Amino acid sequence: NAGVTQTPKFQVLKTGQSMTLQCAQDMNHEYMSWYRQDPGMGLRLIHYSVGAGITDQGEVPNGYNVSRSTTEDFPLRLLSAAPSQTSVYFCASSYGGIEFFGSGTQLSVL
Amino acid sequence: GQQLNQSPQSMFIQEGEDVSMNCTSSSIFNTWLWYKQDPGEGPVLLIALYKAGELTSNGRLTAQFGITRKDSFLNISASIPSDVGIYFCAGQREDGGSQGNLIFGKGTKLSVKP
């Protein structure tokens, strides 16, 4: 049972480039979310989804897009990367109010 | 923004010592969770609390859901080197604030001297 799988583990982008962070879960959880973690800031919610076809904004959604076409997958898109998006990104799926996290993607935007 | 105050921000202790950390809020929570994050990994759930006054243990870890429902505490007894990491509290507000999503504290970074 893999749980929540994130790819890639590391990524370096140039300002203005686009990319998609992948997230997949095999626990059949309806609820999935994306967080970013910055030093001294804890975990901040970017976007979340309560089920396939439904997404909503979290605390820091600007500069990010999401979609949820299946229960399993919840990709996060950066359309035009900015240095302020340098961070560690975590995908999570949730059941019973408990978040289960992936191992993260460390993103650097130069 | 975040509404949880977690303290201390960091701790540097001797192996074998006990550790205490806490989270407080001005809002009432109906769930408190404690997570641990190892370097390079995602947070992993340690303890979940669902009722005011609840005291729950997981090995050397003990957490409590405060009576006022506005705070929670985590204690680690007889710390060992593998306790190193960042500990996060998280909670769900009773009033459905933050769209019912979990709110996270900023973390307590624990370092242990052998």
Side-chain angles (χ1 to χ4, degrees):
Chain A
N1 206 358
V4 179
T5 303
Q6 287 183 241
T7 56
K9 183 72 175 173
F10 302 95
Q11 183 70 48
V12 178
L13 294 176
K14 293 181 180 177
T15 297
Q17 284 186 315
S18 64
M19 81 157 295
T20 299
L21 306 186
Q22 301 291 345
C23 176
Q25 53 99 0
D26 61 1
M27 296 177 282
N28 204 33
H29 291 164
E30 292 292 332
Y31 191 104
M32 295 185 73
S33 50
W34 276 101
Y35 293 86
R36 61 177 288 172
Q37 182 178 28
D38 302 293
M41 299 295 292
L43 292 158
R44 293 184 291 171
L45 183 65
I46 304 172
H47 284 286
Y48 66 99
S49 168
V50 299
I54 306 169
T55 64
D56 207 344
Q57 296 181 348
E59 181 186 355
V60 288
N62 293 339
Y64 308 95
N65 283 344
V66 292
S67 60
R68 184 94 179 273
S69 56
T70 67
T71 299
E72 293 78 19
D73 300 301
F74 190 42
L76 178 73
R77 296 185 189 85
L78 284 72
L79 297 179
S80 179
S84 62
Q85 293 178 305
T86 293
S87 187
V88 181
Y89 291 85
F90 289 100
C91 177
S93 71
S94 175
Y95 182 78
I98 296 173
E99 299 270 32
F100 298 87
F101 289 89
S103 59
T105 295
Q106 188 171 320
L107 176 67
S108 296
V109 183
L110 307 177
Chain B
Q2 295 200 13
Q3 299 102 26
L4 283 184
N5 299 308
Q6 185 172 350
S7 65
Q9 282 187 322
S10 63
M11 303 182 74
F12 194 68
I13 62 171
Q14 200 80 29
E15 183 177 356
E17 288 184 353
D18 296 343
V19 172
S20 292
M21 59 190 78
N22 69 82
C23 268
T24 61
S25 173
S26 56
S27 302
I28 292 175
F29 283 71
N30 59 20
T31 302
W32 284 99
L33 307 173
W34 285 91
Y35 286 84
K36 183 195 178 195
Q37 184 181 25
D38 291 325
E41 298 295 329
V44 174
L45 182 69
L46 297 173
I47 294 177
L49 303 161
Y50 299 103
K51 290 194 303 186
E54 182 179 354
L55 187 72
T56 298
S57 293
N58 178 4
R60 293 177 296 105
L61 278 61
T62 302
Q64 184 162 24
F65 193 137
I67 290 291
T68 65
R69 300 174 66 189
K70 294 182 179 180
D71 55 11
S72 180
F73 307 87
L74 176 70
N75 295 316
I76 305 172
S77 63
S79 59
I80 59 178
S82 62
D83 289 334
V84 163
I86 303 176
Y87 291 80
F88 289 101
C89 63
Q92 191 170 50
R93 281 173 53 173
E94 182 189 52
D95 61 3
S98 296
Q99 301 144 302
N101 297 305
L102 279 181
I103 300 167
F104 282 84
K106 294 184 179 180
T108 295
K109 186 175 182 179
L110 180 63
S111 303
V112 178
K113 259 191 304 188

